[in-house]
């Protein structure tokens, strides 16, 4: 992730790392909390980690929003310059 405001980039990277760590922790917690066969353990681990996976998707969408915002600002700046040159 490379956004121009360094603090937003840092915050999003920290949140994304924490979200992936919570996915791993939730999966392992769900996998280890059931005394059954392997398939049921796998399904339980995935069910426990669904919320964390949703948070990963949310953070990625937030990153895309900031990236789009930067690109739109740059395009508006270039369009204004072109408009000034054509007048």
């Amino acid at each position: 992730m490379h956004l121009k405001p360094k603090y937003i980039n840092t915050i999003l990277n920290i949140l994304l790392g924490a979200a992936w760590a919570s996915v791993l922790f939730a999966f392992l917690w769900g996998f280890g909390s059931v005394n059954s066969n392997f398939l049921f353990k796998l399904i339980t681990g995935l069910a426990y980690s669904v919320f964390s996976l949703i948070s990963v998707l949310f953070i990625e969408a937030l990153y895309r929003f900031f990236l789009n915002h930067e690109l739109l600002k740059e395009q508006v700046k270039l369009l204004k310059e072109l408009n000034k040159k054509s007048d």
Side-chain angles (χ1 to χ4, degrees):
M1 291 186 179
H2 300 289
L3 297 172
K4 284 185 183 175
K6 192 75 167 171
Y7 64 93
I8 292 176
N9 196 19
T10 304
I11 290 171
L12 286 178
N13 279 330
I14 289 171
L15 287 175
L16 192 60
W20 276 114
S22 68
V23 168
L24 180 65
F25 179 74
F27 179 78
L28 292 175
W29 183 272
F31 192 81
S33 67
V34 177
N35 291 328
S36 187
N37 61 2
F38 182 74
L39 182 63
F40 192 67
K41 283 185 169 195
L42 191 65
I43 291 170
T44 307
L46 289 173
Y48 271 58
S49 62
V50 165
F51 177 72
S52 301
L53 286 170
I54 291 171
S55 66
V56 168
L57 290 175
F58 176 74
I59 294 169
E60 288 288 341
L62 198 59
Y63 167 72
R64 285 288 177 198
F65 170 76
F66 281 117
L67 188 63
N68 251 357
H69 182 68
E70 282 184 5
L71 290 174
L72 285 175
K73 279 186 358 183
E74 196 172 310
Q75 288 174 359
V76 166
K77 180 183 170 186
L78 290 173
L79 285 172
K80 283 182 181 179
E81 287 177 12
L82 282 173
N83 195 17
K84 284 181 185 177
K85 286 182 182 179
S86 67
D87 288 340

